[in-house]
Amino acid sequence: MATVAELRDKLRRPLLAERASGHQNKIVAGGVEKLLASPLGNPFPGVREALKGYGDLDEPGRAAALNAALNVLDGQDAAAKAPRTPRAPARVAVPTAAPGERLPPDADLARLDTGPGGTRKLNSLGLHNLRDVLHAYPHRHEDRRALPDLSEVEEGQKVTVEGTVVAKSRRSPKPGMLILDVTLETPAGGRVKATWFNQPWMERQLRVGARLVLTGRVKKFGRSVQIGVEHLETVEDAKGSLSTGRIVGVYDSKDGISQEFLRRAAYRALEAVPLDDYLPAHWRQKYGLTDLSDALWGMHFPHDEAQLARGMNRLRFDEYLFLELRVLLQGDDAVLLGKRFQATGDDIHRFEGALPFQFTGAQRRVLLEITDDMRSERQMARLVQGDVGSGKTAVAACALYLAVRDGYQGALMAPTEILARQHYANLSGYLGQLDVRVGLLIGAMTAKQKLEMQTRIAEGDVDVVVGTQALIQENVRFDNLGLAVVDEEHRFGVQQRRKLLAGRPDVLVMSATPIPRSLALTAYGDLELSIIDELPPGRTPIETKLLQDTHRQQAYGFAMRQIREGRQAFVVTALIEESDTLELLAATQLSEDLKVILPEARIDLLHGKMSAAEKDHVMTRFRAREFDILVSTTVIEVGVDVPNATVMVIENAERFGLAQLHQLRGRVGRGSAQSYCVLISGENSRKTRQRLGIIEGSTDGFVIAEADLKLRGPGEIRGTRQSGVPDLRLGDLANDLEIIEQARELAKHILAHDPKLEHPRLQYLRSELQNRSQSVAYREVI
Ligand code: ADP
Ligand code: MG
């Protein structure tokens, strides 16, 4: 029997979704009123009333009605008992919480005073209630505690200093240019110079005697230290400031949403929500975990490194605990029936005979594991993991061939259109000569082309289809899908995989993320693991060199020599702070600079603000050697193959995670020629040199992942982008072995005693589990 709290929760979700989708009354099957008319609405007459006639209201009317309804639903039980007037007023001001008032984690963001437009901004980042804000952790932290002593700072290091302005001058070296120079004296008596270009409005703040806290990068000229200022506050403002004088978090954001705003929102949420712990104290003690309140405060606003480390450890543990609970709750051991293929030795030989090379030992072994699965009547659910270029696609092509030989269709799904096209070209190469009909279906095709392909798929006129998400859209019906291959699984949600699985084909997932075998079960729940741990022969390892940015000319001189020999080069720029626009600007600027430095080279640009079709077009031209240097933001990251490219230059390499650098480097060395990777570091601290040295010294993904862990400080967080698993914000599968095992142990222990989490003591854990989960599949289970 569901509790009222659970029913409330069940009702809240579709209502929030309705709001998020712009009140179109389409998100809930049959409309919002129908939902309320169901038994779900029984305990909430007030909500029913508030939403009466919803379908007939205009958009602002619906917005108001929905807000009123959510208000009634959220905690205002008194109102729920006393039905309100039949029609919601046109505009309802949502009362924000009074100072000191506590709000439940599910409370709507409108109840939090985040300033004008605050709720809308947070919504646009995918944050809809207080819990979302609490768990939107910073993706990194910056130490902005003022340094007492500047003698030790290194070139390029980011530092915070506090001091008094003792001298100031303004220069105008040419018309239209204004330079403000300020000298700051620190409490310890050191001196720092800071400079502002063309910011006349700064002049008032920078008067002599003003006491300031500055954050920026260090430039050293002999003994004198200069700072390129990125953040400034006066000492008075800095007292109690969320943005300076402390270790500050840096959040995922987008244009128009400032870090200061996000910090304030997190702070308000932490103050408003009672952070009762869902983990009983004796378990926390057993696993050495701090309590939830200390952890969340420590994650967003740590007093010191120790609190940050405690917080991160606890929240990471929780992520794994929830993941483990989810896997265990889902896992039923019933064998799912899939397709049963012949997969004869003859067919395998025929496939291999048509290849221009022989399979490596590792490919052969993995192929055997796959064909065993294919021959059995169980549904295959296997993950093939292997470094970029290890030959996963070739193995998948063979499996697809075997499926086709048995009269089935095959599908290969890629995360981007560029990759889909590339796979299409490769599969056509492998399979075309074996009389297999290969088709392509991507969003960039015209409606007519798509319809034509859909018809061919439905009528069995095509054997293997390569595509993007377009493949799992409603109007794609396979005649007889036997095997589905999914490239880079983590870019797809669980839901999408389930959709693809609807016809119960065998499923093969390919991924380049190195995951130790013992962890694969946790990460992918139900997938078995095959590893290709050997590169095809004849590959010359990529030569990697680390350069200081002061020597970047060398890198480009080298790239130019390769270009003169008929080769091509990638140049990648790092994400600059947290903004797409800035990232684009930096890439554009770089490509303009390169055009000046390398006038002979043909240079083009690829960035994240391009449409898929535009990106595709640029990549196609690059592959066709229509230009020599591709300057790109990180969109290039996933496995694009350009065999003629032999140079990868990575600017601001220190801003990338090592795993990401390894992936980027894998873009070259795809052909037979010797390839090179140059890491240009914008920072010259010992720590950075050491970290980037790992990439310089190894080409083995596992070694790199391991060394990375050893060097990583507590302030560095890896985001979802790196962990590859959507439910993990903090977790890092390759390195969290111990913590994962503990979390698994606890999850098993909990479920062994209480398989459905029904004990009152676990109510809070259970509701947290339900609400924090991203995975719809899982919500259906519990
Ligand atoms: P992955 O999908 O793991 O990135 P691919 O299957 O795309 O790797 O293979 C990378 C490149 O190596 C392709 O050009 C492919 O033709 C080639 N290749 C694959 N297997 C072998 C092999 N056994 N011997 C030589 N070359 C191979
Ligand atoms: Mg690949």
Side-chain angles (χ1 to χ4, degrees), residues 681-703:
S681 167
E683 195 183 290
N684 189 25
S685 66
R686 195 175 54 83
K687 210 173 129 202
T688 298
R689 283 198 305 270
Q690 210 180 0
R691 211 169 66 88
L692 296 179
I694 296 172
I695 294 284
E696 204 179 9
S698 175
T699 50
D700 182 326
F702 284 98
V703 172

Side-chain angles (χ1 to χ4, degrees), residues 357-360 363 387-394 430 536-537 539 670:
F357 49 77
Q358 294 205 317
F359 278 133
T360 62
Q363 280 172 312
D387 235 337
V388 280
S390 60
K392 299 183 291 294
T393 310
Y430 291 133
R539 296 272 168 83
R670 314 285 288 183

